[in-house]
Amino acid sequence: MVALRAQDLVSQPVALITLALAVLVWGTVRGTPHGRAVLGVQAAGTLVFGALALVGLAVDPDLGRYLVAAGWFFHGVWDFVHLRHSRLKKVVSPTFAEWCAVVDVLVAVQLLFLL
């Protein structure tokens, strides 16, 4: 993100969307160690959170802030679900799920109280 910000060729949102789509295509073509069902759930999550972000950018800034905050919050909930499943050795390591869940919820709270 720092390197993307330092240059003017590609915006950060475009890079993140491209990366997310590339990972989805890669997983679809090559398969995943957790199977197609897990990939389908991850793809649905990617689409829902991406749609929330894009709609948040397209609407009135005040409403958009709440939509983006909702996306961050529910992504934190998503991460807590991953934390529960990571203890069963699925999808992501427990430390990453825990860290990401806390950061996501804190960003959501910050967006809600943004003046």
Side-chain angles (χ1 to χ4, degrees):
M1 292 289 99
V2 172
L4 284 173
R5 183 163 275 204
Q7 53 79 37
D8 284 333
L9 298 174
V10 179
S11 70
Q12 290 173 327
V14 169
L16 286 174
I17 291 168
T18 302
L19 180 62
L21 291 174
V23 169
L24 286 175
V25 169
W26 179 278
T28 302
V29 171
R30 299 246 350 211
T32 67
H34 306 293
R36 286 214 175 283
V38 172
L39 178 64
V41 171
Q42 296 298 321
T46 300
L47 294 174
V48 168
F49 294 122
L52 264 175
L54 291 174
V55 170
L57 290 171
V59 298
D60 176 68
D62 287 331
L63 175 60
R65 181 171 54 112
Y66 290 112
L67 288 173
V68 171
W72 276 96
F73 177 78
F74 287 117
H75 193 271
V77 171
W78 177 269
D79 292 327
F80 278 117
V81 170
H82 277 85
L83 178 62
R84 167 118 167 66
H85 289 290
S86 67
R87 303 230 187 271
L88 304 171
K89 304 290 184 210
K90 291 187 177 183
V91 186
V92 66
S93 72
T95 53
F96 183 75
E98 188 173 54
W99 177 83
C100 196
V102 170
V103 169
D104 289 348
V105 170
L106 289 175
V107 169
V109 169
Q110 183 269 334
L111 284 170
L112 289 176
F113 292 107
L114 189 65
L115 299 175

